[in-house]
Amino acid sequence: MLSLLWLLFMAPPPPSSMSSPVDPAFLSLAREVEAALRDGNPAALDARLDGEQLLQRVTRGLPVSRAFLEDLASDARANGWPLGRRLLGTGGQGLHVRLLQVRMSGRTPLALFRVLSDSGLNYLEFELGRDARNEAVIVDLFPYREGERLSELMWRVYLLAAAERGQCLTRRLRGPERDWVEELPRLRRIERLLGADQGREAVEEMDRLAPRVRGERFIQRLRLEVLASLDEAEYALGLVVFEKAFPKDPLLDLFALDNPLLLGDSAAMMAAIDRLDARVGDPYLHHVRGQVMLDQDDLEGAKRSFQKVLEAEPALLEPHVELLRLALEEADHAGAVRLLESMERQAGGSLMRVRIEDGPEARAFLESAEYKGWLERQRTPEGRDGGSEVAGPAVP
């Protein structure tokens, strides 16, 4: 399979207004998946995916022999679609999942999730439906960082796999499909170059692709991703080219979250965050706004933004950490203790060990009556305590 094709990153079509109420069965399914993923069980996603409906979408219209099609179907049925771990990682403490919305797009129910993991921020949009037993299931999904629906991605993967094995009925190919098959050797070279960290050579190969393939959104996205690690000027030019080819594409707003070219341009960054927030309705984006405000030395604005996140999601760690840093800088020891107590509550009362960056503000806090009182309350009946270390950075 072309693992290259899993590197896509773009946003889905804009949501349409709700056309009808959401069936409670779909709401229940979305909440069930959210709870399982929060518990660090990505396999729950696989269990609620209707593999047969997805298989029909993936294989519909594939220009391959019936025998090869049967082999693909048998393989998919035997091995399933192990997507949860691929999309969400291994789970555990690095994974935080939030169901943002369940809505109807025409007659199609869609559930949007935000995923924070060691890999960063991602959004997953699930298309829901009914299986043969009339039970609510997942029938397709759109990972924002992959760039297209799973069924669309796998259709092309199967097409190219068939071509590589000599099973593609090329006489039935027309237009872009033929271009993709003809460019298979170059796509493989690009994949090998990326795997060997030869970014410059990979970009040069991308620029040699046939025009219709080179102009595809995900190839352009992949090219931008490589250029970001190679040359700032070329990356800036690539962004202009991309925006010209795909004007007002939400992908550009996703780029802005980690676009080094926008550092220092708070107005452009805030505008991008606002556009993305209008699309996904995510309280976490207040945290991103707060970080932009910190870069602009707007400490009060940053604190307000971090507090807004915690009002919506008290369990999020990152806003707590940022507010704790600010409290130490301002010698607000009582406020710092309140934050420690909040983190303690979110941890279910578990014993905490706090590592605080060394410096005069940290030492003053560690010597304060407020901190010593909190530390005393942390002690267990056996006399052990959560303790503190002067270290860096300031994280629990």
Side-chain angles (χ1 to χ4, degrees):
M1 299 297 179
L2 280 182
S3 57
L4 160 67
L5 299 180
W6 286 92
L7 299 175
L8 318 184
F9 176 41
M10 63 177 249
S16 60
S17 59
M18 182 177 294
S19 56
S20 60
V22 177
D23 189 315
F26 296 129
L27 292 171
S28 178
L29 171 60
R31 290 170 183 147
E32 176 187 333
V33 171
E34 178 189 36
L37 297 179
R38 281 182 172 177
D39 290 340
N41 181 21
L45 190 157
D46 308 334
R48 299 311 303 266
L49 180 70
D50 189 330
E52 285 301 313
Q53 290 194 58
L54 180 59
L55 181 61
Q56 290 176 15
R57 293 184 178 204
V58 168
T59 58
R60 185 181 299 132
L62 270 178
V64 298
S65 67
R66 179 174 295 276
F68 187 70
L69 191 62
E70 291 175 353
D71 287 343
L72 290 177
S74 297
D75 183 65
R77 292 188 179 108
N79 299 315
W81 302 90
L83 304 174
R85 203 162 297 279
R86 183 181 194 97
L87 294 172
L88 303 171
T90 58
Q93 293 183 350
L95 178 67
H96 191 284
V97 177
R98 166 92 180 229
L99 173 63
L100 297 176
Q101 58 179 269
V102 183
R103 63 183 177 85
M104 298 297 295
S105 177
R107 296 185 177 182
T108 302
L110 301 172
L112 181 65
F113 291 79
R114 179 240 294 135
V115 177
L116 289 173
S117 70
D118 295 337
S119 301
L121 174 65
N122 196 8
Y123 295 97
L124 303 179
E125 186 174 71
F126 295 80
E127 181 180 336
L128 310 180
R130 299 277 184 175
D131 64 9
R133 295 176 296 182
N134 203 36
E135 294 181 355
V137 292
I138 301 167
V139 298
D140 210 340
L141 66 153
F142 193 115
Y144 278 30
R145 284 188 178 271
E146 299 293 349
E148 58 188 340
R149 288 177 177 79
L150 175 66
S151 57
E152 298 168 337
L153 182 150
M154 291 306 300
W155 192 95
R156 188 164 57 246
V157 168
Y158 280 0
L159 171 69
L160 296 178
E164 191 170 47
R165 299 175 195 177
Q167 299 293 319
C168 186
L169 304 179
T170 54
R171 66 180 181 278
R172 292 169 51 185
L173 292 176
R174 296 290 185 274
E177 293 176 6
R178 178 177 289 275
D179 289 345
W180 280 111
V181 170
E182 291 176 348
E183 288 288 14
L184 178 58
R186 196 179 304 278
L187 290 168
R188 283 299 193 192
R189 284 198 295 275
I190 293 171
E191 184 180 7
R192 288 193 296 270
L193 290 168
L194 291 173
D197 292 327
Q198 295 179 265
R200 174 60 63 190
E201 292 80 359
V203 168
E204 291 172 356
E205 284 295 289
M206 290 181 212
D207 290 343
R208 296 187 185 104
L209 288 166
R212 280 191 293 199
V213 176
R214 186 174 66 244
E216 286 285 339
R217 187 190 310 264
F218 80 85
I219 289 291
Q220 289 298 309
R221 167 62 185 98
L222 183 60
R223 187 176 184 275
L224 276 176
E225 184 179 87
V226 178
L227 287 177
S229 64
L230 293 178
D231 184 272
E232 185 173 293
E234 286 184 83
Y235 180 61
L237 181 59
L239 283 172
V240 172
V241 172
F242 187 96
E243 187 170 15
K244 183 177 180 180
F246 308 102
K248 298 182 180 180
D249 195 299
L251 173 59
L252 296 169
D253 299 329
L254 288 169
F255 283 164
L257 300 185
D258 54 4
N259 181 355
L261 300 178
L262 288 183
L263 293 179
D265 190 345
S266 59
M269 182 70 83
M270 286 295 195
I273 295 169
D274 289 345
R275 287 191 297 269
L276 181 59
D277 200 5
R279 184 180 185 80
V280 299
D282 185 2
Y284 178 77
L285 293 175
H286 285 301
H287 178 76
V288 184
R289 291 186 181 93
Q291 291 178 313
V292 175
M293 293 174 185
L294 283 181
D295 290 338
Q296 299 300 311
D297 294 323
D298 181 3
L299 302 187
E300 291 304 314
K303 285 192 284 188
R304 287 193 297 270
S305 284
F306 296 140
Q307 288 289 359
K308 286 181 180 179
V309 184
L310 294 180
E311 289 169 8
E313 294 188 62
L316 279 176
L317 174 64
E318 293 167 286
H320 277 106
V321 171
E322 295 292 356
L323 287 168
L324 180 57
R325 286 173 173 157
L326 291 172
L328 294 184
E329 289 177 7
E330 297 174 347
D332 180 7
H333 299 158
V337 166
R338 285 194 295 272
L339 287 162
L340 291 175
E341 290 172 340
S342 175
M343 286 187 275
E344 189 178 15
R345 287 192 299 273
Q346 298 308 320
S350 301
L351 203 62
M352 293 174 58
R353 177 172 292 274
V354 180
R355 302 183 69 225
I356 299 175
E357 186 175 355
D358 193 9
E361 297 91 351
R363 294 193 191 98
F365 176 59
L366 296 178
E367 295 170 0
S368 70
E370 291 88 348
Y371 172 76
K372 291 176 181 178
W374 173 80
L375 188 61
E376 183 63 29
R377 293 192 294 275
Q378 279 276 299
R379 295 186 185 280
T380 68
E382 293 77 17
R384 294 179 294 107
D385 63 75
S388 299
E389 300 173 0
V390 178
V395 295

